[in-house]
Amino acid sequence: MVKKNKKAILQLINSIENILSKNNTFDTNYKTTSIKIYPILVLHDRQFNVAGLNLLLDAWFQEELKHLSQKGLYTQKVRPLVIIDIDTFIFHQDLFRNRTLKLNLILDEYFKFITFDKNKKYINDDHVIRYAKRTLMSFSLFLFNYVYDHNIRKVPGMILEKGVKLFD
C-alpha cells in the first residue's frame, strides 16, 4: 500500500482556511465570497512534470478542500491545485513581467483545457480518448504549447544576456 504524504497539500489547505476564515491579521479587508484563490505548488525539479501527477495531487487537494466546505467556508472560488516547476517561471519570466501572460488568466485557460466534460457530445471513442488524455497534461507543457501556438515565444532576456558572455 502506498502511503500518501500530503504535507504540501495540507499546508496549502491551512493557508486557504486562514484566508477564508480571515485569520490573517495582516489583511482582513476583503469579502471571502469575492476572492479567487489559485493554489500553486512550485517545485524545483522538472521531472515532476510527468503526465497525470497534477491530476493526482489535485484529487487529494479536492478531498481536503471538501473539509473546509463542510466547516462552512466558501470554497467555490478556490481553483484547482497546479504544479509549476521553477524553471517554467524562469523561462517565461519576461512574458509574465511585461504582462503578455497573466498568471491567473493562463491558469484559467489551463483548467479549461484539462477539464474533461462528461456531458460533451464526442464524435467517437478516439475523440473521447484524446480529450481524456488532455486531463493528464502538465502546466509546463500546456504553457509551452500555448506560447508557441499564440506566437509569443521569446528567448528570455536573461539567457540572451548571460549566454552571450559564455562565448566571449
Side-chain angles (χ1 to χ4, degrees):
M1 183 173 176
V2 177
K3 182 182 176 191
K4 296 180 187 178
N5 188 350
K6 301 183 200 177
K7 184 177 178 181
I9 291 172
L10 292 178
Q11 288 174 345
L12 283 170
I13 290 293
N14 287 335
S15 294
I16 292 167
E17 183 174 16
N18 284 336
I19 292 166
L20 295 178
S21 59
K22 293 190 171 188
N23 286 338
N24 291 323
T25 56
F26 57 87
D27 185 11
T28 58
N29 190 22
Y30 56 87
K31 294 180 183 177
T32 58
T33 56
S34 300
I35 59 172
K36 291 181 184 175
I37 298 174
Y38 292 84
I40 299 171
L41 282 178
V42 179
L43 302 177
H44 71 284
D45 196 334
R46 291 184 62 83
Q47 82 180 31
F48 292 109
N49 285 329
V50 296
L53 182 60
N54 205 103
L55 185 69
L56 175 65
L57 292 182
D58 184 52
W60 291 346
F61 177 77
Q62 295 302 324
E63 261 180 56
E64 298 299 331
L65 195 59
K66 284 180 190 173
H67 298 303
L68 295 184
S69 186
Q70 291 167 352
K71 290 181 179 181
L73 296 173
Y74 185 79
T75 60
Q76 287 78 352
K77 291 192 177 182
V78 177
R79 299 297 186 241
L81 173 72
V82 65
I83 299 170
I84 306 175
D85 67 279
I86 194 68
D87 294 336
T88 296
F89 280 128
I90 291 169
F91 191 76
H92 298 289
Q93 67 181 299
D94 294 337
L95 296 174
F96 287 115
R97 184 180 303 116
N98 68 22
R99 311 281 291 159
T100 301
L101 291 175
K102 295 178 182 170
L103 186 57
N104 64 319
L105 299 178
I106 198 69
L107 285 170
D108 286 337
E109 288 293 320
Y110 173 64
F111 300 141
K112 279 190 252 178
F113 183 82
I114 65 169
T115 299
F116 185 76
D117 186 355
K118 296 173 191 167
N119 299 320
K120 181 178 174 141
K121 300 280 187 212
Y122 294 98
I123 300 168
N124 55 32
D125 288 347
D126 289 336
H127 196 224
V128 172
I129 291 168
R130 186 166 10 115
Y131 274 86
K133 284 181 180 178
R134 288 168 51 155
T135 66
L136 304 175
M137 184 178 284
S138 70
F139 177 77
S140 178
L141 181 57
F142 170 81
L143 184 58
F144 179 84
N145 291 338
Y146 183 92
V147 165
Y148 185 82
D149 292 345
H150 289 82
N151 201 25
I152 55 175
R153 188 170 63 168
K154 181 180 176 185
V155 176
M158 180 178 68
I159 290 176
L160 291 173
E161 179 185 316
K162 303 294 182 194
V164 170
K165 290 180 182 178
L166 290 174
F167 299 105
D168 281 347

Coordinates of all heavy atoms in Angstrom, one line a residue, residues 12-78:
L12 N -1.1 24.1 2.1 CA -2.0 25.0 1.2 C -3.4 25.1 1.8 O -4.0 26.2 1.9 CB -2.0 24.4 -0.2 CG -0.8 24.7 -1.1 CD1 -0.9 23.9 -2.4 CD2 -0.7 26.2 -1.4
I13 N -3.9 23.9 2.2 CA -5.3 23.9 2.8 C -5.3 24.8 4.1 O -6.3 25.6 4.3 CB -5.7 22.5 3.1 CG1 -6.0 21.7 1.8 CG2 -6.9 22.5 4.1 CD1 -7.2 22.2 1.0
N14 N -4.3 24.7 4.9 CA -4.2 25.6 6.1 C -4.2 27.0 5.8 O -4.9 27.9 6.4 CB -3.0 25.2 7.0 CG -3.3 23.9 7.7 OD1 -4.4 23.4 7.9 ND2 -2.2 23.2 8.1
S15 N -3.4 27.4 4.7 CA -3.3 28.8 4.3 C -4.7 29.2 3.7 O -5.1 30.4 4.0 CB -2.3 28.9 3.2 OG -1.0 28.7 3.8
I16 N -5.3 28.4 3.0 CA -6.6 28.7 2.4 C -7.7 28.9 3.5 O -8.5 29.8 3.5 CB -7.1 27.7 1.4 CG1 -6.2 27.8 0.1 CG2 -8.6 27.8 1.0 CD1 -6.3 26.6 -0.8
E17 N -7.6 28.0 4.5 CA -8.5 28.1 5.7 C -8.3 29.5 6.4 O -9.3 30.1 6.8 CB -8.3 27.0 6.6 CG -9.3 27.0 7.8 CD -9.2 25.8 8.7 OE1 -8.2 25.0 8.6 OE2 -10.2 25.6 9.5
N18 N -7.0 29.9 6.6 CA -6.7 31.1 7.2 C -7.3 32.3 6.4 O -7.8 33.3 7.0 CB -5.2 31.3 7.4 CG -4.7 30.5 8.6 OD1 -5.5 30.1 9.5 ND2 -3.5 30.1 8.5
I19 N -7.2 32.2 5.1 CA -7.7 33.3 4.2 C -9.2 33.3 4.3 O -9.8 34.4 4.5 CB -7.2 33.1 2.8 CG1 -5.7 33.3 2.7 CG2 -8.0 34.0 1.8 CD1 -5.1 32.8 1.4
L20 N -9.9 32.2 4.2 CA -11.3 32.1 4.1 C -12.0 32.4 5.5 O -13.1 32.9 5.5 CB -11.8 30.8 3.6 CG -11.4 30.5 2.1 CD1 -11.9 29.2 1.7 CD2 -12.0 31.6 1.2
S21 N -11.3 32.2 6.5 CA -11.8 32.5 7.9 C -11.3 33.8 8.4 O -11.6 34.2 9.6 CB -11.5 31.4 8.9 OG -10.1 31.2 9.0
K22 N -10.5 34.5 7.6 CA -10.0 35.8 7.9 C -9.1 35.8 9.2 O -9.2 36.7 10.0 CB -11.1 36.9 8.0 CG -11.8 37.2 6.7 CD -12.7 38.4 6.8 CE -13.2 38.8 5.5 NZ -13.9 40.1 5.6
N23 N -8.3 34.8 9.3 CA -7.4 34.7 10.4 C -6.1 35.3 10.2 O -5.2 35.3 11.1 CB -7.2 33.2 10.8 CG -8.4 32.6 11.5 OD1 -9.2 33.3 12.0 ND2 -8.6 31.3 11.4
N24 N -5.8 35.8 9.0 CA -4.6 36.5 8.8 C -4.7 38.0 9.3 O -5.5 38.8 8.8 CB -4.3 36.6 7.3 CG -3.9 35.2 6.7 OD1 -3.3 34.5 7.4 ND2 -4.3 34.9 5.5
T25 N -4.0 38.3 10.3 CA -4.1 39.6 10.9 C -3.6 40.7 10.0 O -4.0 41.9 10.2 CB -3.3 39.7 12.3 OG1 -1.9 39.3 12.0 CG2 -3.9 38.7 13.3
F26 N -2.8 40.4 9.1 CA -2.2 41.5 8.2 C -3.2 41.9 7.1 O -3.0 43.0 6.5 CB -0.9 41.0 7.6 CG -1.0 39.8 6.8 CD1 -1.4 39.8 5.4 CD2 -0.7 38.6 7.4 CE1 -1.5 38.6 4.7 CE2 -0.8 37.4 6.6 CZ -1.2 37.4 5.3
D27 N -4.3 41.2 6.9 CA -5.2 41.6 5.8 C -6.5 40.9 6.1 O -6.7 39.7 5.9 CB -4.7 41.2 4.4 CG -5.6 41.7 3.3 OD1 -6.5 42.5 3.6 OD2 -5.4 41.4 2.2
T28 N -7.5 41.6 6.4 CA -8.9 41.1 6.6 C -9.9 42.0 5.8 O -11.1 41.7 6.0 CB -9.3 41.0 8.1 OG1 -9.2 42.3 8.6 CG2 -8.4 40.1 8.8
N29 N -9.5 42.9 5.0 CA -10.3 43.8 4.3 C -10.7 43.3 3.0 O -10.4 43.8 1.9 CB -9.7 45.2 4.2 CG -10.6 46.2 3.7 OD1 -11.9 46.1 3.9 ND2 -10.1 47.3 3.1
Y30 N -11.5 42.2 3.0 CA -12.0 41.5 1.7 C -13.2 40.7 2.0 O -13.4 40.3 3.2 CB -10.9 40.7 1.1 CG -10.3 39.6 2.0 CD1 -10.9 38.4 2.0 CD2 -9.2 39.8 2.7 CE1 -10.4 37.4 2.9 CE2 -8.6 38.9 3.6 CZ -9.3 37.6 3.6 OH -8.7 36.6 4.4
K31 N -13.9 40.4 1.0 CA -15.1 39.5 1.1 C -14.6 38.2 0.7 O -14.1 38.0 -0.4 CB -16.2 40.0 0.2 CG -16.9 41.3 0.7 CD -18.0 41.7 -0.3 CE -18.6 43.0 0.1 NZ -19.6 43.5 -0.8
T32 N -14.8 37.2 1.5 CA -14.4 35.8 1.2 C -15.1 35.2 0.0 O -14.6 34.3 -0.7 CB -14.5 34.9 2.4 OG1 -15.9 34.9 2.8 CG2 -13.6 35.3 3.5
T33 N -16.3 35.8 -0.3 CA -17.0 35.3 -1.5 C -16.6 35.9 -2.8 O -17.0 35.5 -3.9 CB -18.5 35.5 -1.3 OG1 -18.8 36.9 -1.1 CG2 -19.1 34.7 -0.2
S34 N -15.7 37.0 -2.7 CA -15.2 37.7 -3.9 C -13.8 37.3 -4.4 O -13.5 37.5 -5.5 CB -15.2 39.2 -3.6 OG -16.5 39.6 -3.3
I35 N -13.1 36.7 -3.5 CA -11.7 36.4 -3.9 C -11.5 35.1 -4.6 O -12.3 34.1 -4.3 CB -10.7 36.4 -2.6 CG1 -11.2 35.4 -1.6 CG2 -10.6 37.8 -2.0 CD1 -10.2 35.2 -0.5
K36 N -10.6 35.0 -5.5 CA -10.2 33.8 -6.2 C -8.9 33.3 -5.6 O -8.0 34.2 -5.5 CB -10.1 34.0 -7.7 CG -11.4 34.2 -8.4 CD -11.1 34.4 -9.9 CE -12.4 34.8 -10.6 NZ -12.2 35.0 -12.0
I37 N -8.8 32.1 -5.3 CA -7.5 31.5 -4.8 C -7.0 30.5 -5.7 O -7.7 29.6 -6.1 CB -7.7 30.9 -3.4 CG1 -8.2 32.0 -2.4 CG2 -6.5 30.2 -2.9 CD1 -8.6 31.4 -1.0
Y38 N -5.7 30.7 -6.1 CA -5.0 29.8 -7.1 C -3.9 29.1 -6.3 O -2.8 29.6 -6.2 CB -4.4 30.6 -8.2 CG -5.4 31.2 -9.1 CD1 -6.0 32.5 -8.8 CD2 -5.8 30.6 -10.3 CE1 -6.9 33.1 -9.7 CE2 -6.7 31.2 -11.2 CZ -7.3 32.4 -10.9 OH -8.2 33.0 -11.7
P39 N -4.2 27.9 -5.8 CA -3.2 27.1 -5.1 C -2.1 26.6 -6.0 O -2.5 25.9 -7.0 CB -4.0 26.0 -4.4 CG -5.3 26.0 -5.0 CD -5.5 27.2 -5.8
I40 N -0.9 26.9 -5.8 CA 0.2 26.5 -6.7 C 1.3 25.9 -5.8 O 1.7 26.4 -4.8 CB 0.8 27.7 -7.4 CG1 -0.3 28.4 -8.3 CG2 2.0 27.3 -8.3 CD1 0.2 29.7 -8.9
L41 N 1.8 24.7 -6.3 CA 3.0 24.1 -5.7 C 4.1 24.4 -6.7 O 4.1 23.9 -7.8 CB 2.8 22.6 -5.6 CG 2.0 22.0 -4.4 CD1 1.9 20.5 -4.5 CD2 2.6 22.5 -3.1
V42 N 5.1 25.2 -6.2 CA 6.2 25.5 -7.0 C 7.3 24.5 -6.6 O 7.7 24.4 -5.5 CB 6.7 26.9 -6.8 CG1 8.0 27.2 -7.7 CG2 5.6 27.9 -7.1
L43 N 7.7 23.7 -7.6 CA 8.7 22.7 -7.4 C 10.1 23.0 -8.0 O 10.1 23.8 -9.0 CB 8.2 21.3 -7.9 CG 6.9 20.9 -7.3 CD1 6.4 19.6 -7.9 CD2 7.0 20.7 -5.8
H44 N 11.1 22.4 -7.6 CA 12.5 22.7 -8.1 C 12.9 21.8 -9.2 O 14.0 22.0 -9.8 CB 13.5 22.7 -6.9 CG 13.7 21.3 -6.4 ND1 12.8 20.6 -5.6 CD2 14.8 20.5 -6.6 CE1 13.3 19.4 -5.4 NE2 14.5 19.3 -6.0
D45 N 12.2 20.7 -9.4 CA 12.7 19.7 -10.3 C 11.7 19.5 -11.5 O 10.5 19.2 -11.2 CB 12.9 18.4 -9.6 CG 13.8 17.4 -10.3 OD1 13.8 17.5 -11.5 OD2 14.4 16.6 -9.6
R46 N 12.2 19.6 -12.7 CA 11.3 19.4 -13.9 C 10.8 18.0 -14.0 O 9.8 17.8 -14.7 CB 12.0 19.8 -15.2 CG 12.3 21.3 -15.2 CD 12.9 21.7 -16.6 NE 12.1 21.4 -17.7 CZ 11.1 22.2 -18.2 NH1 10.8 23.3 -17.6 NH2 10.5 21.9 -19.2
Q47 N 11.4 17.1 -13.4 CA 11.0 15.7 -13.5 C 9.6 15.5 -12.9 O 8.9 14.5 -13.2 CB 12.0 14.7 -12.9 CG 11.9 14.5 -11.4 CD 12.9 13.5 -11.0 OE1 14.0 13.4 -11.5 NE2 12.6 12.8 -9.9
F48 N 9.1 16.4 -12.2 CA 7.7 16.3 -11.6 C 6.6 16.8 -12.7 O 5.5 16.8 -12.4 CB 7.5 17.2 -10.4 CG 8.3 16.6 -9.2 CD1 9.5 17.3 -8.7 CD2 7.9 15.4 -8.6 CE1 10.2 16.7 -7.7 CE2 8.7 14.9 -7.6 CZ 9.8 15.5 -7.1
N49 N 7.1 17.1 -13.9 CA 6.2 17.4 -15.0 C 5.7 16.2 -15.7 O 5.5 16.2 -16.9 CB 6.8 18.4 -16.0 CG 7.0 19.8 -15.4 OD1 6.1 20.2 -14.6 ND2 8.0 20.5 -15.8
V50 N 5.5 15.1 -15.0 CA 5.0 13.9 -15.6 C 3.5 13.9 -15.8 O 2.8 14.5 -15.0 CB 5.5 12.6 -14.8 CG1 7.0 12.5 -14.7 CG2 4.9 12.7 -13.4
A51 N 3.1 13.2 -16.8 CA 1.7 13.2 -17.1 C 0.9 12.6 -16.0 O 1.2 11.6 -15.4 CB 1.4 12.4 -18.4
G52 N -0.1 13.3 -15.6 CA -1.1 12.8 -14.6 C -0.8 13.1 -13.1 O -1.6 13.0 -12.3
L53 N 0.5 13.6 -12.8 CA 0.8 13.9 -11.4 C -0.1 15.1 -10.9 O -0.6 15.0 -9.8 CB 2.3 14.3 -11.3 CG 2.7 14.6 -9.9 CD1 2.5 13.4 -8.9 CD2 4.2 15.0 -9.8
N54 N -0.2 16.1 -11.7 CA -1.1 17.2 -11.3 C -2.5 16.8 -11.0 O -3.1 17.2 -10.0 CB -1.1 18.3 -12.4 CG -1.4 19.7 -11.8 OD1 -0.5 20.5 -11.6 ND2 -2.6 19.9 -11.5
L55 N -3.0 15.9 -11.8 CA -4.4 15.3 -11.7 C -4.5 14.6 -10.3 O -5.4 14.8 -9.6 CB -4.7 14.4 -12.8 CG -6.1 13.9 -12.9 CD1 -7.1 15.0 -13.1 CD2 -6.2 12.8 -14.0
L56 N -3.5 13.8 -10.0 CA -3.5 13.0 -8.8 C -3.4 13.9 -7.6 O -4.2 13.8 -6.6 CB -2.3 12.0 -8.8 CG -2.1 11.2 -7.5 CD1 -3.2 10.3 -7.3 CD2 -0.7 10.5 -7.6
L57 N -2.5 14.9 -7.6 CA -2.3 15.8 -6.4 C -3.6 16.7 -6.3 O -4.0 16.9 -5.1 CB -1.1 16.6 -6.6 CG 0.2 15.9 -6.4 CD1 1.4 16.8 -6.5 CD2 0.3 15.1 -5.2
D58 N -4.2 17.1 -7.4 CA -5.4 17.9 -7.3 C -6.5 17.1 -6.7 O -7.3 17.6 -5.9 CB -5.8 18.5 -8.6 CG -7.0 19.4 -8.5 OD1 -7.0 20.3 -7.6 OD2 -8.0 19.2 -9.2
A59 N -6.6 15.8 -7.0 CA -7.6 14.9 -6.4 C -7.5 14.9 -4.9 O -8.5 15.0 -4.2 CB -7.6 13.5 -7.0
W60 N -6.3 14.8 -4.4 CA -6.0 14.8 -2.9 C -6.4 16.2 -2.4 O -7.0 16.3 -1.3 CB -4.6 14.5 -2.6 CG -4.2 13.1 -2.9 CD1 -5.0 12.0 -3.1 CD2 -2.8 12.6 -3.0 NE1 -4.2 10.9 -3.3 CE2 -2.9 11.2 -3.2 CE3 -1.6 13.1 -2.8 CZ2 -1.8 10.4 -3.4 CZ3 -0.5 12.3 -3.0 CH2 -0.6 11.0 -3.2
F61 N -6.0 17.2 -3.1 CA -6.3 18.6 -2.7 C -7.8 18.8 -2.6 O -8.3 19.3 -1.6 CB -5.7 19.6 -3.7 CG -6.0 21.0 -3.4 CD1 -5.4 21.7 -2.4 CD2 -7.0 21.7 -4.1 CE1 -5.7 23.0 -2.1 CE2 -7.3 23.0 -3.8 CZ -6.6 23.6 -2.8
Q62 N -8.6 18.3 -3.6 CA -10.0 18.5 -3.6 C -10.7 17.7 -2.4 O -11.7 18.2 -1.8 CB -10.6 18.0 -4.9 CG -10.2 18.8 -6.1 CD -10.6 20.3 -6.0 OE1 -11.6 20.7 -5.4 NE2 -9.7 21.1 -6.5
E63 N -10.1 16.6 -2.0 CA -10.6 15.8 -0.8 C -10.5 16.7 0.4 O -11.4 16.8 1.2 CB -9.7 14.6 -0.6 CG -10.2 13.3 -1.1 CD -9.1 12.2 -0.8 OE1 -8.7 12.1 0.4 OE2 -8.7 11.5 -1.7
E64 N -9.3 17.3 0.6 CA -9.1 18.2 1.7 C -9.9 19.5 1.7 O -10.4 20.0 2.7 CB -7.6 18.5 1.9 CG -6.7 17.3 2.1 CD -7.0 16.6 3.3 OE1 -7.4 17.2 4.3 OE2 -6.7 15.4 3.4
L65 N -10.1 20.0 0.5 CA -10.9 21.2 0.3 C -12.4 21.0 0.7 O -13.0 21.9 1.3 CB -10.8 21.7 -1.1 CG -11.3 23.1 -1.4 CD1 -10.5 24.1 -0.6 CD2 -11.2 23.4 -2.9
K66 N -12.9 19.8 0.6 CA -14.2 19.4 1.0 C -14.4 19.6 2.5 O -15.5 20.0 3.0 CB -14.6 18.0 0.6 CG -14.9 17.8 -0.8 CD -15.2 16.3 -1.1 CE -15.3 16.1 -2.6 NZ -15.5 14.7 -2.9
H67 N -13.3 19.3 3.2 CA -13.4 19.5 4.7 C -13.6 21.0 5.1 O -14.4 21.3 6.0 CB -12.2 19.0 5.4 CG -11.9 17.5 5.2 ND1 -12.8 16.6 5.6 CD2 -10.9 16.8 4.7 CE1 -12.4 15.4 5.3 NE2 -11.2 15.5 4.7
L68 N -13.0 21.9 4.3 CA -13.2 23.3 4.6 C -14.6 23.7 4.2 O -15.2 24.5 5.0 CB -12.2 24.2 3.7 CG -10.7 24.0 4.0 CD1 -9.9 25.0 3.2 CD2 -10.4 24.2 5.5
S69 N -15.1 23.2 3.2 CA -16.5 23.5 2.8 C -17.5 23.0 3.9 O -18.5 23.6 4.2 CB -16.8 22.8 1.4 OG -18.1 23.2 1.0
Q70 N -17.2 21.8 4.4 CA -18.0 21.2 5.5 C -18.0 22.0 6.8 O -18.9 22.0 7.6 CB -17.6 19.8 5.8 CG -17.9 18.8 4.6 CD -17.2 17.5 4.7 OE1 -16.4 17.3 5.6 NE2 -17.6 16.5 3.9
K71 N -16.9 22.8 6.9 CA -16.8 23.7 8.1 C -17.6 25.0 7.8 O -17.6 25.9 8.7 CB -15.3 24.1 8.3 CG -14.5 23.0 8.9 CD -13.1 23.5 9.1 CE -12.2 22.4 9.7 NZ -10.8 22.9 10.0
G72 N -18.2 25.1 6.7 CA -19.0 26.3 6.4 C -18.2 27.4 5.6 O -18.7 28.5 5.4
L73 N -17.0 27.1 5.2 CA -16.2 28.1 4.5 C -16.6 28.1 3.0 O -16.9 27.1 2.4 CB -14.7 27.9 4.7 CG -14.2 28.0 6.1 CD1 -12.8 27.6 6.2 CD2 -14.4 29.4 6.6
Y74 N -16.5 29.3 2.4 CA -16.9 29.5 1.0 C -15.7 29.1 0.1 O -14.8 29.9 -0.1 CB -17.3 30.9 0.7 CG -17.8 31.2 -0.7 CD1 -19.1 30.8 -1.0 CD2 -17.0 31.8 -1.6 CE1 -19.6 31.0 -2.3 CE2 -17.5 32.0 -2.9 CZ -18.8 31.6 -3.2 OH -19.3 31.8 -4.5
T75 N -15.7 27.9 -0.4 CA -14.6 27.4 -1.2 C -14.9 27.3 -2.7 O -14.0 26.9 -3.5 CB -14.3 25.9 -0.8 OG1 -15.4 25.1 -1.0 CG2 -13.8 25.9 0.7
Q76 N -16.0 27.9 -3.2 CA -16.3 27.8 -4.6 C -15.4 28.5 -5.5 O -15.3 28.2 -6.7 CB -17.8 28.3 -4.8 CG -18.9 27.4 -4.3 CD -19.1 27.5 -2.8 OE1 -18.3 28.1 -2.1 NE2 -20.1 26.8 -2.4
K77 N -14.6 29.5 -5.0 CA -13.7 30.2 -5.9 C -12.3 29.8 -5.7 O -11.3 30.5 -6.1 CB -13.9 31.7 -5.7 CG -15.2 32.2 -6.2 CD -15.3 33.7 -6.3 CE -16.6 34.1 -6.9 NZ -16.6 35.6 -7.0
V78 N -12.1 28.7 -5.0 CA -10.7 28.1 -4.9 C -10.5 27.3 -6.1 O -11.2 26.3 -6.4 CB -10.6 27.3 -3.6 CG1 -9.2 26.6 -3.6 CG2 -10.8 28.1 -2.4

